[in-house]
Amino acid sequence: MADKVVTGLLVKPGSNFSLKRRNPGETFGWDKERAKAELAEVIAKIDVLQVKLAAEHEHSLLVVIQAMDAAGKDGTIRAVFGPLNSAGVQVASFKAPIGHELEHDFLWRIHDVVPPRGEIGIWNRSHYEDVLVVRVKNIVPKEMWEKRYRHIREFERLLSDEGTTIVKINLHISKDEQRARLQDRINDPAKRWKFRSGDLDDRKLWPDFMKAYEVAFNETSTEYAPWYVVPADRNWVRNLAVARIVLDALQRLDPQLPPDSPGITDLVVV
Ligand code: ADP
C-alpha cells in the first residue's frame, strides 16, 4: 500500500511545483520518541529488502541527496544508511569538478559511480549541481546549462531502463534554521572543521538557489526518477521521512530471491 506521507512529499511530474508551499518545519503530527522507534523499524525492513536486492542481482537503487549547506546530508546518510550492510551500499560525494573531470561532459564522472546491480548507491550532491550552483554562479554559459535538464532526463531514463530505480531527495531547510546551524558550526570547536567561508557566499544567494531548485524539480521530476522534498528543520522528521521514501522505493522495486538451483533441496551436507 502506498505510504501517504511519501506520496505527499513527491513533486508530481508536470505539476508547476512551488517550494513556498512546502514547510521545512513540518512534523506531520509525529511524536519525536515514537518517530525514533519507527525509524529503527523502517531501517529493519530496508535491511531485509537490501538482502533480496543483492541476492536477485538484477536491479540497483540510486538515492540522490541534494540540499543547501547544513541541511543534514551527512547526518541523514549516517542515520538511515549507516545501519545497513555496508558491503551493499556505496556513498559517492561530488565536489566541484577538477583536472580530467573538466575534460569531459558533465555526466561523465557521474555515470561512472552509478550503483551496480544488487547495490544501493547514495549520492551526496550529484549531477544536479550542474544545474544548481553552476546556474546560480554562471559557471558555464546559459546556452550550456539550459540544455542540461534534457540531458539529465534522458540520462536518468537510460539508467531506469537498464534497471536502476532512482529517487531524488531534497532536504528542505529554512533560511533561519541554516543560520542557526552555520553559527553553531562556527561556535563549536568540534564542528568548526565543517564550516567553509564559501557557505556564507552561497547563503547570500539563497533566493537564486531556491529558484534554481524549483526549476530543477519542475524540469526533472519524472515518473521514472521522481523528486521528493523532505522537511529538514528537524533531524528526526527528516530521517524518518527519508527512510520511508527509501522503503517505499524498495517495496515498489520488489526484489525477489533467485529460484532454487535444481535438486538443491535434496542435498545433504556431511
Ligand atoms: P559538502 O558541503 O557537500 O559537505 P564541500 O563543503 O566540500 O562538501 O562542498 C562541495 C562543494 O562542491 C559545494 O560547494 C558544491 O556546490 C560544489 N560542487 C559540487 N559539484 C559541483 C559542480 N558540478 N560544479 C561546481 N561546483 C560543484
Side-chain angles (χ1 to χ4, degrees), residues 66-70 73-74 93-97 106 109-110 124-131 133-134 137 139 148 185 194-196 198-199 202 209:
Q66 276 293 156
M68 296 297 283
D69 290 309
K73 298 189 304 303
D74 294 317
S93 301
F94 295 95
K95 315 278 182 199
F106 77 105
R109 66 177 186 156
I110 305 288
N124 181 342
R125 303 187 188 270
S126 65
H127 47 314
Y128 282 93
E129 294 289 329
D130 293 285
V131 288
V133 68
V134 166
K137 295 191 175 169
I139 296 174
R148 290 182 172 174
R185 284 185 179 180
K194 288 192 196 177
F195 183 78
R196 287 180 312 116
D199 295 351
D202 288 1
F209 270 103

Side-chain angles (χ1 to χ4, degrees), residues 1-20:
M1 209 178 56
D3 181 333
K4 284 211 181 82
V5 169
V6 171
T7 313
L9 297 173
L10 182 68
V11 175
K12 294 207 175 58
S15 65
N16 196 16
F17 173 83
S18 162
L19 257 181
K20 288 205 181 70

